[in-house]
Structure formats: structure tokens, C-alpha cells
Amino acid sequence: MEQLLQQIINSLHVGSIYALIALGYTMVYGIVQLINFAHGDILMVGAYFAFFGLTAYRLPFGVSLLVAVIICALLGMLIDKIAYKPLRNAPRISALITALGVSMFLENGFRYLFGADTKRMPDIIGAEKAFRFGSVRISHMTFITIAVAVLFMLSLQLIVHYTKTGKAMRSVSEDTKAAQLMGINVDRTIAITFAIGSALGAVGGILYSMNYYEVQPYMGMMPGLKAFVAAVLGGIGSIPGAMLGGFVIGGVETITRGYISSTWADAFVFGILIIVLIFKPTGILGKNMKEKV
Amino acid sequence: MERKNFQKNYLINFIAVLFLFGIIVMSLQMKLINNYYQGLLIIAGINIMAASSLNLAAGYMGQLALGHAGFMAIGAYTAALIGLHTNLPVMAKLIVGIGCGGVMAGLFGVLIGIPALRLRGDYLGIVTLGFGEIIRIALYNLPFTGGAAGLKKIPKLINLPILFVILVLVISFLFLFVRSRHGRALLSIKEDEIAAESVGVPTIYYKVYGFAVSAFLAGVAGGCLAYFQRALDPNKFKFMLSVEFFIIVVLGGMGSFTGTILAGLFLAFINEFLYEVDELRLVIYAVLLIVVMIFKPSGLLGNREFSLTASGRWLKRKLTEKK
């Protein structure tokens, strides 16, 4: 029983990271119908800048987090402007290939600039220390991860539902042309969506790298993919869906690792994706979209 | 009249291919191609094979398939296991091994295609990507694939002339396939899926069918790789390999097999020059990919094919014009 409780806490920890990253995928997909393959690498960029902030400039944790998040938000907007905007009306496959290209560019560019070796993220918050409840332990890392993730998710909900920008985002994702006719600046809204999505991805990346103590150029690939699975599972385009999907994937991964096999855990995650697509292609909370001629 | 012309064109192309084959055999005999360049050409040929199979799925069907490294891995491991555990004569082993590798990959193609292809394009990308990862994890963990160390001492059955023959067979098959009734059905799906369905093309059937053929050919390419390299390990078949095939397809032109061949050869030789700056190589590829997509989304050749007979006619016209 206690072991199960411990696993659930671990699931929440991993799941909240996936949920944060999945939000970026789902928001971008909701608004421009593009799988932003580069999103996984944004979280790598975020981890790198947080790492530099913490080690080279010795900034406090909160400041380096903020700096990294702002840089990633700007980077997200830049990528949209350079790589995706010229292809807004091109066939989807072109935009997807471009996204792959951007992802490759970021990974290998960072490898070229900072080397392929794994850097060790410093432990500045006493991650190994833990609160104990009986035999269940919640490490500081887990506590901070879940707290930060929930904080950011709540603020996202507030932005999306109670600000003018959020309203614009929702309307553009509902119907781009109609939104334009209502006087919404679509390009600006898309740029803001990229910025917010990338910022959340960066937070996820920093938490991820702090948890595993490592920063390296290809680190974004796996969590990026799993977060994408989470977004599809929850229903791509749906913000609560991405959060739910993140926690489900985190749970599946942790439980498989704990009870079945640690080597097959990743295969289980992708297996779930395929099963979901067979039985409910729109995901758990996704709306059923009719195809229009 | 039409029919006769076709036959004439086939004959011309056949003779040209035979001529090329002769050149390859001759230059191997006269040691004009050393072992190093032979290896380079074989790898280029295998890449072209895999990229052409991807071109069928991506260029002709317009489906984003990101798991061709996985299909290639299935083909390679199947062929390798047959090579290691059967006692057939060399030629029979080659044919059975590569054939079984292809069929196995094709079966997985159907298995993956049925759920994924019911949905719109971009889901397929992510399902095939996930599938490629599952295959890789399975290769690490299954009892008969040798884990991280992989399989070793696979018999070497491939040399440049044999690979050339297989490549010619694959490319000719693809050419005939896309010009057949089935090929036109695939093309119609790419152009407009809803319109295709409304004129009676069973789109899901054809998508699965085309995807399975594509997977089959990727498996064949994998089999060739196994019989050439003699050693396999799961790390060869990472996601990046699928992306490299995509780069070849995109550069050559989505929907142009001759473009794929040209791009495959071009990249193989460019790789040699960029070997010195290996870390920058992939950065350059990435930029190339983005730039091509933004400025010429259909790739360098687009969906045009280089045709020997057509360029012959063009030459003849130019010459007569001069007179």
C-alpha cells in the first residue's frame, strides 16, 4: 500500500513535467494545426540557459528560471516568425518537415556550440532532502516540481479564460478567418501562443533536467515525444486534456517502471498512443471534429 | 502507336541500365573503384532504396511517415536471423533473407497502417515515430536480437553489382507501381482525399496498401544493410535515420524517384567532404531542410522525373532547330 502511494507521488512528479510540456504542443496545435517538433528542443534550450544561469553567473534559482523562460518565449516567437509563418498556407507536410528541420537545427546547433557531453545540473534546492510521512517520502524536488507546475498551469488557465489575449487565442483556434474579421490580430495571437507554449515547455525542461541532473543537446527528444503522446491522449487542442494526459502518461510510465519492467516502460507509453488512436482518435477530452470539404 | 512507343522507351531504359551495370562490373574488375568507394556506393544505394520507399509514402501518398528506420530494422534483423540460422546456398539465402525481411516489414506496415491511416496525416507521423521507438526498445530487450550488442557475424552476401541489381528492381517496381491503377489511386489521395473518396477510391484501403508496400521496400533495404554490414545493433536505427531518409526525399523532390536517386548520391558524396566537420554536418542539413521547404516546398526536382527518352527527344529537337 505504502509502495503504491509512493508510486503515485512519483507519478504526479513525472506527470506534472509532461503536462507542462504537453501544454505547449496542444496550444500550438490548437491554433495553427501544426505538430511543433521543435517544442521538445525548446525545453532543452531552457535547461541549458537555466544551467548557465546557475553555474556560470551564479544567479539564484528563481532568477535563472525566469531568464531561461523569457529567452525560450522569445525563441518560440522567433521560430514561428522565421520557419512557420512563411508556410502558413502551404501543405501541412511542408510545415511538419520544417518543424523537423528546426528541431534538428536546435539539437545539433547546441551540440556544436556547447559540446555533446552531458552537463551536470547543480543541486541547489536540496533535492534529495525529503518530507516524510510514515514510510512515504516526498522529496523537495517532487514538492517544488508539482508546486511550480500547478502554479504555471493555473496562471495559464487564468490567462486563457480571463484576459483579452486569452479570448483572442481561443477565438483564433476556433475559427481563424472569423477571428480576423472580428478585428483580432491573428499573427500576433499566434506569436503569443508560441511564446506561452515555449515558456511552459522551458519550465518543464528545467524541472526535468533538475530531476535527472543532466543537460545535454538531445535531452528534449524523449520527454518531448512523451509529452506529445500525452497531448494526443488528452485530446490535442484541449488545454485541460493536455494536463490530464500528462498525468496519465506519467502514471503509466512510473507504474510500468515500478511493477512490470523498467526497460519496456517507454514502449508501453507509445503502445498506449496507438491504442488510443484506434479506439478514440480524438483523445479523452477532445472534441469530435467533422471534416469539411 | 502509344503501346509501341512505350515498348521502345522501356527498351532504351533497359539498355541504359545494362550499360551502367557493365560499367560498374568493369570498373570493379579493373579496380577503378577501391573497397572504400565500393562501400560508400553500397551505403548510398541502400539509402536510396530506403528513401525511395519513403518517397512512395510521403511524396506520392502525402503521408508523413517517420518510422522508416523501424521498418528497416525489422527487415535487417529478419534477414540477419535467417542468414545466421539457416543453411541455404548463398543465392537462395540472399533472396529468402531479403524477401522475408521485406514481408515482415510489410506485415508490420499493415499492422501500424490500419489504426494510423484512418486518421489525418499528422497523426500517422507521430504513430510511426512511436512505432520506430517501440521497435528499437524491443530490439534491445527481446531474447533473440542480441540486446545492445546486437547481432554479429552475419554472412556477407551483398556486393556492388548485386546491390545494383536489387536497387534497379526496386526502382523499376516503384516506377511501374505509381503508373499503375493503384499508383493513380494513391496520387488522387494525396491531391484531395475527400474528392478521391467521393469518386469511389477506397482511400483507407489504398493508404494501408501503399503504406505496406513502402514498408516492404524499407524492409528490403534493411535486409541489404544486414548482409552488407555483417553486424547490427539497435542504435543504428534511431529516429535520426528516418529523418535522414526524409532529407533525401525532400531534397530530391517529393514524388520524384530520379530526384531521390540524385539526392542520395549527392548527399553520400557531400558527407565525405563534410566528414571533417561532422558536428556541423547536421546543422547544415537542418538549415538546408528549412530553406528548401520555405523556398521550394516540392523539393529540387518537384514531382518531375528525369527521363532518358524525354531528354533524348529534347536533344533531338534542339539539334533540328539549329539546322
Side-chain angles (χ1 to χ4, degrees):
Chain A
M1 185 60 215
E2 266 142 5
Q3 202 201 346
L4 183 68
L5 211 60
Q6 184 72 54
Q7 296 287 9
I8 289 173
I9 288 165
N10 292 348
S11 307
L12 285 177
H13 177 177
V14 183
S16 54
I17 295 177
Y18 289 151
L20 274 179
I21 306 169
L23 283 169
Y25 277 113
T26 228
M27 285 168 70
V28 166
Y29 191 92
I31 209 157
V32 283
Q33 277 80 47
L34 167 76
I35 301 174
N36 184 9
F37 281 108
H39 189 63
D41 302 296
I42 296 268
L43 68 95
M44 177 270 293
V45 174
Y48 260 92
F49 280 106
F51 170 76
F52 290 138
L54 288 171
T55 55
Y57 299 101
R58 303 199 169 277
L59 298 172
F61 172 65
V63 179
S64 12
L65 182 86
L66 206 64
V67 170
V69 164
I70 290 170
I71 290 175
C72 283
L74 293 175
L75 181 69
M77 285 162 86
L78 189 73
I79 290 172
D80 171 51
K81 189 142 183 76
I82 293 175
Y84 301 151
K85 207 172 156 206
L87 291 165
R88 247 343 89 85
N89 298 317
R92 288 153 87 106
I93 193 163
S94 312
L96 283 166
I97 294 170
T98 315
L100 271 178
V102 174
S103 157
M104 243 174 102
F105 177 76
L106 287 177
E107 279 166 16
N108 294 296
F110 268 68
R111 191 179 86 153
Y112 181 69
L113 288 176
F114 305 118
D117 55 315
T118 303
K119 296 179 172 47
R120 201 184 141 78
M121 197 75 169
D123 173 16
I124 36 115
I125 50 165
E128 291 306 320
K129 280 184 226 137
F131 308 113
R132 287 184 180 280
F133 302 97
S135 62
V136 177
R137 61 193 289 280
I138 303 177
S139 70
H140 285 186
M141 191 63 233
T142 307
F143 185 73
I144 288 179
T145 303
I146 296 175
V148 170
V150 168
L151 183 75
F152 273 90
M153 285 190 243
L154 282 180
S155 23
L156 176 72
Q157 283 294 358
L158 291 180
I159 291 173
V160 170
H161 287 285
Y162 298 104
T163 63
K164 232 173 174 174
T165 321
K167 213 173 191 175
M169 280 160 63
R170 279 183 288 145
S171 60
V172 171
S173 79
E174 189 110 346
D175 189 332
T176 314
K177 284 208 179 105
Q180 205 156 17
L181 287 174
M182 297 299 123
I184 291 169
N185 187 341
V186 171
D187 280 334
R188 195 172 140 262
T189 311
I190 292 174
I192 291 173
T193 309
F194 267 90
I196 295 178
S198 305
L200 293 170
V203 176
I206 293 165
L207 294 173
Y208 184 85
S209 65
M210 283 169 70
N211 190 29
Y212 298 99
Y213 299 113
E214 58 164 42
V215 181
Q216 47 108 345
Y218 299 105
M219 64 174 276
M221 219 178 223
M222 256 305 158
L225 278 180
K226 284 184 202 156
F228 182 79
V229 173
V232 173
L233 179 69
I236 194 138
S238 145
I239 288 175
M243 298 179 193
L244 180 68
F247 286 113
V248 171
I249 291 294
V252 169
E253 191 189 313
T254 314
I255 302 289
T256 324
R257 240 182 248 289
Y259 292 102
I260 303 172
S261 151
S262 60
T263 44
W264 284 95
D266 289 353
F268 261 84
V269 170
F270 292 116
I272 285 185
L273 172 73
I274 294 174
I275 292 168
V276 169
L277 289 182
I278 296 174
F279 293 108
K280 198 165 186 321
T282 47
I284 302 171
L285 298 181
K287 269 177 267 160
N288 213 346
M289 283 218 282
K290 286 224 172 67
E291 208 159 330
K292 280 175 275 185
V293 181
Chain B
M1 181 62 200
E2 274 284 295
R3 185 104 286 197
K4 214 171 189 178
N5 246 341
F6 266 146
Q7 282 168 356
K8 201 177 101 194
N9 291 352
Y10 283 148
L11 197 66
I12 292 174
N13 282 322
F14 181 69
I15 291 169
V17 166
L18 218 58
F19 185 65
L20 203 60
F21 183 69
I23 291 180
I24 286 174
V25 173
M26 287 260 283
S27 42
L28 281 176
Q29 288 271 314
M30 288 156 66
K31 303 227 180 324
L32 285 176
I33 305 178
N34 62 22
N35 270 342
Y36 177 71
Y37 281 107
Q38 191 181 348
L40 197 74
L41 282 172
I42 289 178
I43 292 292
I46 292 171
N47 281 345
I48 289 171
M49 213 185 287
S52 312
S53 76
L54 178 62
N55 203 347
L56 181 68
Y60 281 89
M61 284 163 60
Q63 306 292 330
L64 184 83
L66 292 173
H68 268 52
F71 293 123
M72 207 171 160
I74 293 173
Y77 271 80
T78 311
L81 289 172
I82 287 173
L84 285 171
H85 301 302
T86 56
N87 283 317
L88 292 167
V90 172
M91 224 37 203
K93 198 181 241 182
L94 180 74
I95 294 168
V96 170
I98 289 180
C100 287
V103 168
M104 202 64 158
L107 285 178
F108 273 93
V110 174
L111 217 65
I112 285 301
I114 289 172
L117 289 161
R118 282 166 55 223
L119 304 159
R120 277 216 310 257
D122 22 8
Y123 279 102
L124 180 75
I126 218 73
V127 169
T128 47
L129 205 166
F131 162 75
E133 286 299 312
I134 292 179
I135 291 294
R136 212 164 55 82
I137 295 163
L139 291 179
Y140 270 116
N141 293 314
L142 286 176
F144 50 87
T145 51
L151 297 173
K152 290 195 173 59
K153 295 191 180 143
I154 305 159
K156 179 162 182 164
L157 305 174
I158 289 273
N159 58 21
L160 191 53
I162 293 180
L163 185 88
F164 183 78
V165 172
I166 299 174
L167 183 60
V168 167
L169 288 177
V170 167
I171 300 283
S172 319
F173 168 75
L174 280 171
F175 261 109
L176 295 176
F177 184 72
V178 296
R179 275 158 186 67
S180 70
R181 185 187 177 81
H182 308 288
R184 288 197 301 275
L186 295 185
L187 210 56
S188 74
I189 291 170
K190 179 196 174 188
E191 296 296 335
D192 191 331
E193 203 171 323
I194 297 165
E197 192 146 10
S198 68
V199 294
V201 176
T203 51
I204 290 166
Y205 167 77
Y206 270 114
K207 277 202 279 187
V208 175
Y209 179 35
F211 192 67
V213 169
S214 170
F216 169 80
L217 295 175
V220 168
C224 294
L225 186 73
Y227 287 152
F228 169 65
Q229 292 211 314
R230 307 197 55 201
L232 291 174
D233 66 88
N235 256 335
K236 274 202 180 71
F237 303 102
K238 277 192 171 167
F239 175 53
M240 263 338 277
L241 188 68
S242 307
V243 176
E244 282 195 33
F245 297 147
F246 234 102
I247 294 171
I248 296 178
V249 171
V250 168
L251 268 186
M254 308 262 279
S256 162
F257 292 123
T258 38
T260 303
I261 297 173
L262 291 178
L265 285 173
F266 174 72
L267 284 186
F269 284 99
I270 281 288
N271 267 347
E272 281 307 293
F273 291 112
L274 291 181
Y275 198 69
E276 299 283 314
V277 282
D278 194 46
E279 283 172 348
L280 253 159
R281 186 175 68 101
L282 290 169
V283 181
I284 295 171
Y285 281 6
V287 173
L288 208 62
L289 201 63
I290 300 171
V291 169
V292 168
M293 270 300 124
I294 291 178
F295 293 104
K296 194 151 185 346
S298 53
L300 295 183
L301 276 185
N303 55 9
R304 286 189 299 271
E305 296 282 6
F306 172 79
S307 151
L308 209 55
T309 44
S311 25
R313 277 201 301 278
W314 180 80
L315 208 66
K316 208 162 134 194
R317 208 168 52 233
K318 281 279 157 189
L319 287 176
T320 45
E321 264 173 25
K322 265 193 186 146
K323 278 176 199 165

